Amino acid sequence: MKKHRAAHDGQGSRTCRTAHTAGATLIALIAVATSCAVRASDGTIAAAELKALGTVDARFQSYNIEMVEVTGGRFWKPYPRTERAPDPHDRYSYRPPIDLANARLRLLAAALSPAYVRVSGTWANATFFAEAPGEPPSGFNSVLSRAQWRGVVEFARAVNAEIVTSFAISPGSRDASGIWKPDQAQQLVDTTRALGNRIAAAEFMNEPSYAATNGAPAGYDAAAYGRDFKVFRDWMRRATPETLILGPGSAGGPSGFAITTRDLLAASGPGLDRFSYHHYNTVSPRCGGHDDPAQALSEEWLARTDATLRTYQALRDAFEPAKPIWLTEAADAACGGGRWDQTFLDTFRYLDQLGRLARAGVQVVMHNTLAASDYGLLDETTFRPRPSYWAALLWRRLMGTVVLDAGQPAPRDLHLYAHCHPTMAGAVSLLAINTSRRAPQALTLSDSVERYTLHAARLQGTTVQLNGKALALSADGRLPRLEPRAIPAGAVRLAPASITFLMFPKAANPACLSRRSGL
């Protein structure tokens, strides 16, 4: 049998080579490409037999609302209507405060819950908390009023999100010796409690690796961070022991920055409950990025997530061994997002990143942002879903907290991730991402499935189809029904540049029979 199989596969390979070298007709090429795809991935997915790898936090898929969105202020400027590069000296434009009471925003955010909502970002480092709006005092750049924070607290309660934040560390938050004082942070904690909520987790500051340009005092270094972090850690343990301490929340690589993450951790000593970091694949044209969208589906592009995680895993192991890892800020391109980040093209990165990180044991991934600039899941003016929002919604509804081994090596352009279903005992969900722009792929399924395929007529378009039907809110603003297509056991074809969730309702997978598989 093995000899026959090997001969058959070898014949298939020769057929593929012949088709491409003998000037075959287009129809013949398509037929051969499909046949080769089937042979390349003809191992059967036996959903009942997939083994558990671990679990992720019930709020694994989460998001950011930048502090500057809450207060209003100068945020990343929209791209020019033409294709010309943005002016690097004119990166920002004023944005009014986000309306966190907006019914559409709350409806769409609630559909992604349970989640964490992180209210932080660069602007949080120099934001003064006050009872009423006004001009910021010396040493601060903006004001967060009690009414604005109430909006955050009420939004979080309405959409079933836990609050994550960071605190001001600018010169105004320090004593005469330049040492950080917890006064402002204490007011935020006390106000949150008075409003009937809590801060679930907090980083000391946003991205201390960029302290020199992030609102910290001039000359701020690792030693100053270590001194301040110890004050912060001791205050947190006394004032709000129920709040998880996250850190260091660095961005960028291990070198090339004014303060390296290794130096930050060495100076601060132990004391983290969760190890946090930030990751972007690149920077947007606003900050000098010049990336080609042709690379957006390449393994090199998608695997940048893995490379960054390995860097921070090594640092975690050295300084905070065994602490769970949270990615508290992530998107395709920093500085407001790249030109294709609001299109279907970035949906591949979004879902592939979730799959990779869950498989690697990362507990929480917070997308930046929910509804601001080009990397927002929602359009910032209309709050209408962008393609990645629909992907996020399908992940929430189909991928539970128990992570499974997908069970077979896949071809290079086929990425497979498996989880227990979040609510259906024993059921398994498989995410299959075909990153090839031209070649279909195929899987053989052991059982019947419910199929959800995302596809788009244009990869850089803003309209996405589910099983051939365009996804959009209804005329009265409601979410559409996400209707699956019933598929029998056997071979299933995956179109080029498509994303497919396959849900096995009758898998009866032992790892998915306990309550751990749900939310």
Side-chain angles (χ1 to χ4, degrees):
M1 180 65 181
K2 290 183 179 178
K3 290 182 180 178
H4 177 269
R5 180 62 171 274
H8 178 80
D9 287 349
Q11 181 181 1
S13 298
R14 287 194 299 273
T15 302
C16 292
R17 289 194 296 269
T18 301
H20 285 280
T21 57
T25 65
L26 177 60
I27 294 176
L29 282 172
I30 293 173
V32 169
T34 303
S35 174
C36 294
V38 171
R39 289 176 186 145
S41 56
D42 60 358
T44 299
I45 300 290
E49 300 173 10
L50 303 185
K51 305 301 183 184
L53 294 175
T55 61
V56 294
D57 193 291
R59 300 174 189 272
F60 170 74
Q61 180 184 241
S62 293
Y63 50 82
N64 281 256
I65 294 175
E66 293 266 352
M67 183 67 79
V68 69
E69 292 181 70
V70 178
T71 62
R74 289 172 60 77
F75 197 51
W76 302 111
K77 189 174 184 177
Y79 285 115
R81 291 184 180 273
T82 65
E83 288 297 312
R84 66 181 177 83
D87 182 350
H89 303 292
D90 187 24
R91 297 173 176 171
Y92 308 108
S93 61
Y94 179 78
R95 309 292 178 91
I98 187 172
D99 180 9
L100 293 175
N102 181 275
R104 175 178 292 172
L105 178 64
R106 290 190 174 190
L107 170 74
L108 299 178
L112 300 182
S113 290
Y116 292 104
V117 53
R118 177 176 174 267
V119 181
S120 180
T122 299
W123 285 259
N125 286 345
T127 295
F128 181 76
F129 180 74
E131 286 295 314
E135 292 298 313
S138 177
F140 295 92
N141 295 334
S142 58
V143 171
L144 170 68
S145 71
R146 181 186 178 93
Q148 288 170 335
W149 189 249
R150 179 194 295 274
V152 170
V153 171
E154 292 178 348
F155 171 84
R157 183 183 297 116
V159 305
N160 187 16
E162 292 274 9
I163 298 170
V164 176
T165 193
S166 64
F167 300 109
I169 51 79
S170 56
S173 66
R174 299 172 179 278
D175 64 18
S177 301
I179 299 173
W180 183 78
K181 299 185 300 180
D183 303 28
Q184 278 281 295
Q186 186 72 60
Q187 288 187 52
L188 202 63
V189 167
D190 291 344
T191 300
T192 307
R193 285 181 180 151
L195 294 171
N197 210 318
R198 64 167 190 151
I199 295 174
E203 291 163 321
F204 168 54
M205 65 178 289
N206 183 72
E207 296 181 355
S209 50
Y210 282 112
T213 57
N214 239 5
Y220 200 76
D221 59 12
Y225 173 84
R227 175 203 66 204
D228 290 342
F229 180 84
K230 291 168 185 174
V231 175
F232 165 73
R233 178 194 61 202
D234 293 345
W235 165 76
M236 286 276 285
R237 298 298 187 216
R238 294 192 310 271
T240 178
E242 70 277 14
T243 301
L244 295 173
I245 297 178
L246 308 178
S250 294
S255 61
F257 293 84
I259 312 178
T260 69
T261 302
R262 180 173 291 277
D263 288 345
L264 291 169
L265 291 166
S268 65
L272 300 177
D273 297 310
R274 303 289 187 269
F275 188 100
S276 66
Y277 74 101
H278 295 178
H279 168 73
Y280 293 88
N281 270 19
T282 186
V283 297
S284 81
R286 296 180 184 88
C287 294
H290 301 285
D291 295 293
D292 185 348
Q295 69 182 321
L297 301 185
S298 69
E299 178 61 20
E300 185 279 330
W301 187 262
L302 298 173
R304 292 183 182 188
T305 290
D306 297 333
T308 299
L309 176 59
R310 285 193 296 269
T311 295
Y312 287 109
Q313 279 178 322
L315 291 166
R316 186 276 311 267
D317 293 345
F319 291 97
E320 294 280 3
K323 295 296 173 65
I325 296 179
W326 287 20
L327 174 51
T328 51
E329 194 173 305
D332 181 62
C335 302
R339 290 186 182 274
W340 72 71
D341 289 5
Q342 59 179 284
T343 74
F344 182 59
L345 185 58
D346 190 47
T347 302
F348 291 81
R349 186 236 17 117
Y350 179 85
L351 286 175
D352 188 72
Q353 185 173 66
L354 291 181
R356 287 175 188 255
L357 295 176
R359 187 175 60 191
V362 173
Q363 290 297 296
V364 175
V365 178
M366 300 180 181
H367 179 77
N368 203 36
T369 62
L370 176 63
S373 203
D374 294 274
Y375 44 28
L377 297 176
L378 306 174
D379 179 270
E380 64 186 6
T381 57
T382 65
F383 295 144
R384 290 191 178 278
R386 289 173 171 164
S388 288
Y389 176 84
W390 299 114
L393 186 59
L394 282 167
W395 178 284
R396 169 55 66 208
R397 293 189 180 182
L398 296 171
M399 307 291 272
T401 58
V402 175
V403 185
L404 303 172
D405 185 342
Q408 67 164 6
R412 179 178 177 85
D413 294 330
L414 181 60
H415 300 203
L416 301 178
Y417 306 102
H419 286 224
C420 294
H421 192 275
T423 59
M424 191 178 299
V428 168
S429 296
L430 180 76
L431 171 59
I433 304 174
N434 184 3
T435 60
S436 173
R437 296 171 186 257
R438 290 175 292 277
Q441 302 283 353
L443 293 171
T444 302
L445 309 179
S446 63
D447 203 348
S448 59
V449 299
E450 294 180 0
R451 175 175 181 159
Y452 303 79
T453 293
L454 294 174
H455 196 261
R458 293 177 52 248
L459 279 174
Q460 293 189 66
T462 56
T463 299
V464 62
Q465 298 175 355
L466 176 63
N467 294 334
K469 182 178 180 180
L471 288 170
L473 298 177
S474 66
D476 58 357
R478 291 181 297 176
L479 284 165
R481 291 177 60 85
L482 302 182
E483 297 284 0
R485 181 172 295 169
I487 302 293
V492 58
R493 182 181 183 276
L494 307 172
S498 67
I499 297 167
T500 298
F501 291 86
L502 300 166
M503 199 275 281
F504 297 76
K506 300 177 182 178
N509 185 301
C512 303
L513 291 172
S514 72
R515 292 184 179 179
R516 292 185 307 123
S517 63
L519 297 177

